[in-house]
Amino acid sequence: MIVLQNTIISDDIRDNFFVCNLEQCKGACCVEGDLGAPLEEEELAILADSYEHIKPYMTGAGKLAVEEQGLYIQDFEGDYSTPTIENRECAYALYDDQGILKCAIEQAYYDGKISWKKPISCHLYPIRITKYDDFEALNYDRWSICAAACNFGADLGVKVYQFLKEPLIRKYGEAWYGELTELIEKEEQTATT
């Protein structure tokens, strides 16, 4: 594991290959699972402030899910997540012309309607963060639906932390990411000598 500032990073994030391959998986991570996308507490107000701009991008079923469940839900452990459509896809998911799930939040962002790209948990996937009192643990979430992404990453020679550079910087900052890559490069040099 890698210890960096107030984070502990799984070696899997350094060692495993990964590049999303939406043409293969069709955005299955927006459908599979027990809940919608995890939301950080500070994202709740952002979602509430942005919803009217996101709503035009949503499906009818997604809008109905939000009307019935709210903009987000709170689970039995007190964690927040997006609502789902009949316990399947995220209420903010939409299908494009090729049947690939995309994000209504992200589409509103790309069209300049909002300044929030999407929930950080989605942007960071397949990294999942577990928060503790004094640190955050970053783990690689291995899932069979992402097999094509692992193969694509291997073909391109791109590791998880490299693929997720933008969201890691968004979450922890440029200096943190720079230090992470420096630590990984030093480890690799040490391993080869």
Side-chain angles (χ1 to χ4, degrees):
M1 79 180 129
I2 301 166
V3 178
L4 174 57
Q5 298 173 18
N6 66 332
T7 58
I8 297 177
I9 302 122
S10 163
D11 290 341
D12 290 340
I13 292 168
R14 175 197 64 209
D15 298 339
N16 287 279
F17 294 102
F18 194 94
V19 172
C20 279
N21 191 342
L22 290 174
E23 297 204 1
Q24 293 295 313
C25 73
K26 307 291 186 201
C29 61
C30 297
V31 178
E32 303 297 330
D34 300 330
L35 295 166
L39 294 168
E40 295 194 354
E41 207 160 328
E42 57 269 16
E43 292 178 315
L44 305 180
I46 297 168
L47 180 57
D49 291 343
S50 304
Y51 182 67
E52 288 306 315
H53 299 289
I54 298 165
K55 192 174 178 181
Y57 296 88
M58 296 172 64
T59 64
K63 292 175 197 173
L64 182 61
V66 168
E67 286 174 25
E68 292 174 350
Q69 300 169 53
L71 295 174
Y72 51 84
I73 62 166
Q74 188 174 22
D75 69 19
F76 66 94
E77 294 178 333
D79 296 323
Y80 296 97
S81 65
T82 60
T84 59
I85 301 168
E86 297 179 8
N87 294 319
R88 298 251 329 131
E89 68 262 27
C90 172
Y92 300 100
L94 57 105
Y95 289 91
D96 72 7
D97 297 341
Q98 288 97 34
I100 297 172
L101 274 170
K102 300 285 177 88
C103 177
I105 298 167
E106 192 169 21
Q107 293 303 311
Y109 169 82
Y110 285 139
D111 285 350
K113 306 293 184 190
I114 60 174
S115 60
W116 181 48
K117 187 166 188 173
K118 58 183 166 182
I120 194 65
S121 68
C122 299
H123 204 183
L124 279 170
Y125 197 77
I127 291 177
R128 285 291 186 222
I129 299 172
T130 305
K131 294 183 179 192
Y132 296 96
D133 290 340
D134 298 327
F135 66 94
E136 295 183 349
L138 284 70
N139 289 293
Y140 170 51
D141 187 28
R142 269 193 199 87
W143 206 2
S144 61
I145 63 170
C146 293
C150 298
N151 293 335
F152 195 35
D155 290 346
L156 298 174
V158 177
K159 304 285 180 94
V160 174
Y161 78 95
Q162 294 167 322
F163 173 67
L164 296 174
K165 177 181 180 178
E166 179 189 338
L168 286 168
I169 289 171
R170 177 182 159 201
K171 175 73 176 165
Y172 296 109
E174 291 263 0
W176 181 94
Y177 187 80
E179 199 173 332
L180 174 66
T181 56
E182 192 176 300
L183 287 169
I184 290 171
E185 288 167 7
K186 281 182 184 174
E187 283 183 11
E188 288 171 351
Q189 288 173 355
T190 304
T192 58
T193 55

